[in-house]
Amino acid sequence: MRKHNFNSGPSVLPKEVLEQASEAIINFNGINLSLLEIGHRTNWFVDVIEESKLLVKELMQLNNNYEVLFLHGGATTQFMQVPLNLLNENETAAYCDNGIWGSKAISEAKIFGKVNVIASSKDQNYNYIPKSFTLPDNTKYLHLTSNNTVEGTQWHQFPETTIPIVADMSSDIFSRQLNFNQFQLIYAGAQKNMGAAGVSLVVIDKNILGKVSRQISPILDYRKHIEAASLLNTPPVFAIYVALLTLRWIKKEGGLAEMENRANKKSSLLYNTIDSLPLFECAIKKEDRSKMNAVFCIKEEVLQNKFLEECKEEGMIGVKGYRTVGGLRVSMYNALSLESVEAITMLMKNFANKYS
Ligand SMILES: *Cc1c(COP(=O)(O)O)cnc(C)c1O
């Protein structure tokens, strides 16, 4: 039996995606060659990239201003690539400091221009999303992290502004319906909700490009990647293929509406269980809780370790909180089944009965 995989990333993928991916490593599309053995400029692979782009555009319902890129370097590279391409040295970008990933993005942006941290929830251990802030008119762009993977908060409503919004959606991409055209740049590492590690999705409104005066190395220049249709150099072919398989799976299952529906069911079951059992505690403000990563704890450390042991015995992995945060974290990405959440909530109830 497969394990109940609550890993935060790399994380659970649909079983059929794994089967199709392993088949492609041996014999891709019946051509008697491995996906890993063919050139990235062959029609075989160009078809993979083109179908992936179309599926991204279709699932997100993007208008024609948007370009879809598949790049190397993880979401972390985007912390640097965004300001490099969008922010002049004497200009100011606004950043929301809502967690560890956002604060890393802030440090990187400071290398390239001025950063105005307009909202921070650091004072409360990042347990909420700040909602009231003012954006000065001369702000070049606003950067936020739509889902805080480590801290367990999520933006459920986005600021209304004419200033371009850049969003790191690494841990909740394709998990819900949104008006994606309200963002001018969206990026996401694939390994949480859309495939294997090694590729990042970048979606850009092309009208925001070409406005900085510095020289940009071509390999970091979004415009060069757009011109080359994500084939500027050898792309991470396997990771892109796994993303394509995952995108096909999302569409087949019912698209973002169905992913959202499932996320609602799974997360409400989990949070209701936490809230009903005094042994467990979730410090995240209710309205800001993440539907992807539930962060909670058992106050007594000895019991918490005992709980983690029981999870292990029951074939549940990835329940331990982030190394700097501690506590417990249950990640509920698209490919995690409701059965897995039912299994852990059952364990929680039995555990609370035994030890309360
Ligand atoms: C995991 C994560 C990152 C870092 O991703 P890498 O691909 O490891 O660089 C950045 N932002 C968020 C929100 C994440 O969850």
Side-chain angles (χ1 to χ4, degrees):
M1 208 185 95
R2 294 192 81 201
K3 288 211 173 2
H4 294 293
N5 184 349
F6 302 107
N7 276 336
S8 58
S11 39
V12 61
L13 287 168
K15 188 157 171 267
E16 63 190 78
V17 165
L18 298 175
E19 285 162 356
Q20 291 160 358
S22 50
E23 171 63 22
I25 287 192
I26 305 298
N27 183 359
F28 174 63
N29 277 358
I31 63 172
N32 295 319
L33 286 165
S34 166
L35 167 71
L36 306 182
E37 299 175 308
I38 59 173
H40 55 289
R41 297 184 197 281
T42 57
N43 286 341
W44 293 315
F45 193 71
V46 169
D47 286 349
V48 168
I49 290 227
E50 290 308 314
E51 185 186 346
S52 307
K53 278 189 205 165
L54 284 176
L55 278 171
V56 168
K57 283 194 163 176
E58 182 185 335
L59 289 168
M60 296 174 112
Q61 297 184 24
L62 296 170
N63 70 37
N64 288 331
N65 292 334
Y66 289 87
E67 298 284 349
V68 177
L69 298 175
F70 296 96
L71 304 180
H72 293 273
T76 303
T77 299
Q78 295 310 310
F79 296 162
M80 168 269 279
Q81 207 167 350
V82 164
L84 175 71
N85 281 267
L86 301 184
L87 189 64
N88 277 315
E89 233 172 287
N90 57 349
E91 291 173 332
T92 304
Y95 274 71
C96 294
D97 175 22
N98 300 152
I100 188 164
W101 293 119
S103 65
K104 287 186 186 208
I106 289 170
S107 309
E108 294 277 333
K110 284 180 179 166
I111 298 173
F112 298 96
K114 297 194 181 119
V115 172
N116 178 7
V117 179
I118 52 153
S120 173
S121 48
K122 199 172 180 176
D123 58 332
Q124 304 270 351
N125 273 327
Y126 293 125
N127 69 4
Y128 70 104
I129 298 282
K131 288 166 207 81
S132 57
F133 47 79
T134 40
L135 277 169
D137 284 342
N138 63 353
T139 303
K140 202 68 192 290
Y141 62 84
L142 166 67
H143 180 281
L144 56 85
T145 313
S146 60
N147 182 71
N148 294 289
T149 327
V150 170
E151 295 81 5
T153 60
Q154 188 174 24
W155 288 77
H156 296 298
Q157 210 165 350
F158 293 93
E160 274 178 38
T161 171
T162 52
I163 288 163
I165 305 180
V166 176
D168 175 359
M169 294 198 184
S170 292
S171 52
D172 66 352
I173 189 91
F174 302 124
S175 69
R176 53 178 167 169
Q177 290 179 294
L178 285 177
N179 172 15
F180 292 97
N181 299 295
Q182 74 186 298
F183 305 95
Q184 276 59 50
L185 195 153
I186 294 166
Y187 62 89
Q191 71 273 20
K192 277 141 193 165
N193 220 5
M194 64 170 288
V199 68
S200 304
L201 171 70
V202 178
V203 167
I204 317 178
D205 176 345
K206 52 183 182 281
N207 298 318
I208 65 170
L209 297 175
K211 293 178 182 168
V212 287
S213 48
R214 70 170 63 84
Q215 258 200 318
I216 303 175
S217 168
I219 197 65
L220 293 171
D221 189 333
Y222 292 130
R223 287 171 307 169
K224 296 285 185 239
H225 284 283
I226 292 170
E227 276 166 32
S230 288
L231 292 168
L232 190 59
N233 67 334
T234 315
V237 293
F238 182 66
I240 293 174
Y241 188 64
V242 179
L244 171 60
L245 295 173
T246 308
L247 291 165
R248 282 182 186 157
W249 176 84
I250 293 171
K251 182 176 171 181
K252 187 194 73 171
E253 295 292 305
L256 301 193
E258 178 58 19
M259 296 301 122
E260 179 170 340
N261 188 16
R262 292 178 189 181
N264 284 339
K265 277 196 193 133
K266 288 181 282 185
S267 59
S268 38
L269 174 59
L270 185 66
Y271 286 118
N272 287 340
T273 306
I274 295 170
D275 292 340
S276 70
L277 301 170
L279 186 67
F280 293 91
E281 193 179 37
C282 174
I284 308 300
K285 201 169 170 192
K286 272 192 181 163
E287 64 188 50
D288 299 328
R289 287 176 175 179
S290 165
K291 293 178 184 177
M292 295 283 103
N293 315 93
V295 172
F296 58 107
C297 70
I298 299 176
K299 267 199 209 138
E300 228 179 292
E301 182 124 6
V302 182
L303 274 188
Q304 185 162 280
N305 289 335
K306 183 102 192 55
F307 179 72
L308 286 169
E309 268 168 42
E310 290 201 11
C311 285
K312 213 167 172 186
E313 280 161 23
E314 298 294 321
M316 300 176 186
I317 66 145
V319 184
K320 204 175 162 134
Y322 189 75
R323 56 200 151 84
T324 57
V325 173
L328 306 168
R329 171 171 56 175
V330 167
S331 297
M332 300 167 279
Y333 297 121
N334 286 343
L336 186 85
S337 65
L338 180 61
E339 289 71 43
S340 288
V341 180
E342 285 167 350
I344 197 164
T345 51
M346 191 64 81
L347 181 69
M348 288 164 70
K349 281 179 196 154
N350 291 338
F351 191 85
N353 276 341
K354 255 193 293 178
Y355 295 104
S356 291

